[in-house]
Each structure stands twice: as C-alpha cells, then as structure tokens.
Amino acid sequence: MLVVGLTGGIGSGKTTVANGFSALGVSVIDTDQLARELVEPGQPALDEIIAVFGKDCIARDGQLKRACIRQQIYSDAGLKSQLEAILHPKIRQRIKTLLAELRETYCIVAIPLLLETRQTDLVDRILVVDTAEKEQLTRVAARDSLSDNTIMAIMQSQADRNTRLQAADDIIVNDGDLESLAERILELHTYYMEIAYDH
Ligand code: ATP
C-alpha cells in the first residue's frame, strides 16, 4: 500500500484536502482526530496531561480544555515539549496500528507536523498543501477566535514554507477556489492510483 503523508501549515487547507480525498473513497487517517481520541476522559494520556498542566485544564464534563492548553503551550516552549512527549509516541503507535489494518491501494495520513516531528519514515510520499501566509492568517482568523499574534506564533513554531516545499513530492497550491482544489485532488488521486500499482 502506498502511504501518502499530507501536511501543510496552519489553515493551509489540510482538512479540506483530506475531506476531498475521503469523498473519492480514499482511506484517510487523521492524526488530529487520533490526538483528540487520545485525550478523551479515561485515556492514560489525559492523566499524564493533568500531571503537567494541572486540573484547571479540565472542564466540568471531564473534557480537556483545548484552547487553554493551546494558549499555554505557545507561550511556553517547555510545556509544549512536555505535551508532545506525552502525545507524539502514542499517535505514532496508533498510526502504525491503523496502517497495518488497512487493505487499500493507497491511503492518506494527514500529519500537520509531519516534518517538524520527523515522522516522514511513516510515509512513502509527502503531499504538501501550500498557501500564502497572508491567506493562512485570513482563513484561520475567519474560522477560529484566535488573535493574529497567536496565529503568527503558531505559524512561526511550524516549519517554514520553503522547508515544506523542499520536502514535498507533490504540492497542492491552495490559492484558488474550492472547485479548482477539487480538480487538483482528483488529478492527484488518479496519479496515486497509477503509481500505487508499481509500489
Ligand atoms: P488547521 O491547520 O488549523 O487544522 P487546515 O490546514 O486543516 O487547518 P482547513 O481547516 O482545511 O485548514 O482550512 C482552513 C479554512 O480555510 C477552513 O475554514 C476552510 O473551509 C477554508 N478553506 C480552505 N481552502 C479553501 C479554499 N480553497 N477556498 C476557500 N476557503 C478555503
């Protein structure tokens, strides 16, 4: 099975692209979703997170206050590393388990921090969603209640655009409308189906 790692900066359009592949019947492993599942009440990772961030980061219903955590880690690199040390090995293990279960021609694994967390060994190809930084800022600001400063801090903590483009085997330039994005996804889907047979 050909494994395509989908990555890109915050708000570049990864989820939109992943949904596009899904709509074509492609299996998509979404690591953001895996991360959310790992911190559900009762999961061991949640206790480890409470030990670092304290009980204040848990809402009354037992769910993790994600905004509270996000705010804290972008102003404290040490806390960010601690959170990553808890989550990343568990996410990596989960990806491996899910990949081993799949019986497909090819699949997509959406890993926002694919390059930053050095997970490229999990995938055969790297697909980068590339969007101008100004556009990322506009789209995230329209979607989330985050300040421009917070969004910029997140962007700066991620690999820069050139690093991503250099690592890419395939690129989706997401600077047009959703229709042209869907066309590009279909084009890549056809290409992946073709090369997967020789894989
Ligand atoms: P994050 O890193 O924050 O998870 P993401 O990379 O998954 O973001 P999306 O959530 O797919 O990005 O896209 C960000 C926002 O931009 C969404 O509201 C989405 O609907 C919108 N968007 C993405 N691509 C386009 C496009 N080509 N035209 C218009 N809106 C778009």
Side-chain angles (χ1 to χ4, degrees):
M1 180 175 66
L2 178 76
V3 181
V4 178
L6 169 65
T7 195
I10 181 170
S12 56
K14 298 175 297 293
T15 308
T16 311
V17 168
N19 290 342
F21 279 103
S22 250
L24 295 171
V26 179
S27 286
V28 176
I29 296 174
D30 173 359
T31 51
D32 276 347
Q33 175 64 27
L34 298 183
R36 277 192 289 273
E37 288 167 11
L38 278 172
V39 298
E40 285 291 316
Q43 292 294 319
L46 190 60
D47 292 333
E48 292 178 47
I49 289 172
I50 294 171
V52 175
F53 290 86
K55 281 214 158 75
D56 287 350
C57 66
I58 304 297
R60 287 219 183 117
D61 62 0
Q63 297 284 339
L64 190 64
K65 291 186 197 162
R66 298 171 61 82
C68 162
I69 298 282
R70 192 162 48 190
Q71 202 70 46
Q72 286 190 57
I73 59 171
Y74 283 108
S75 54
D76 185 330
L79 278 180
K80 182 169 179 247
S81 310
Q82 287 186 71
L83 181 67
E84 288 172 353
I86 296 168
L87 290 178
H88 289 176
K90 294 182 177 63
I91 294 172
R92 189 178 163 83
Q93 192 47 54
R94 194 79 190 104
I95 294 171
K96 283 185 168 181
T97 306
L98 290 171
L99 283 175
E101 287 168 359
L102 279 181
R103 298 283 173 273
E104 306 284 351
T105 311
Y106 86 94
C107 73
I108 301 272
V109 188
I111 313 183
L113 299 178
L114 177 66
L115 305 177
E116 296 84 341
T117 57
R118 298 185 176 80
Q119 308 247 48
T120 49
D121 63 304
L122 288 174
V123 304
D124 300 308
R125 294 185 77 81
I126 298 176
L127 168 59
V128 166
V129 186
D130 180 54
T131 305
E133 282 163 9
K134 203 166 146 267
E135 190 64 39
Q136 285 177 260
L137 199 64
T138 311
R139 285 182 187 162
V140 176
R143 189 195 56 187
D144 303 333
S145 55
L146 292 175
S147 70
D148 281 5
N149 280 347
T150 306
I151 301 169
M152 301 231 279
I154 295 172
M155 280 164 62
Q156 269 155 26
S157 75
Q158 299 182 336
D160 65 44
R161 204 173 164 193
N162 277 341
T163 306
R164 252 189 238 108
L165 290 175
Q166 271 169 21
D169 294 294
D170 312 300
I171 298 168
I172 292 181
V173 179
N174 186 19
D175 62 359
D177 56 19
L178 292 171
E179 201 175 309
S180 37
L181 185 63
E183 278 168 21
R184 176 70 178 131
I185 292 168
L186 183 57
E187 189 177 78
L188 278 168
H189 173 61
T190 309
Y191 175 63
Y192 289 147
M193 289 297 277
E194 262 170 39
I195 62 170
Y197 283 109
D198 300 327
H199 183 72

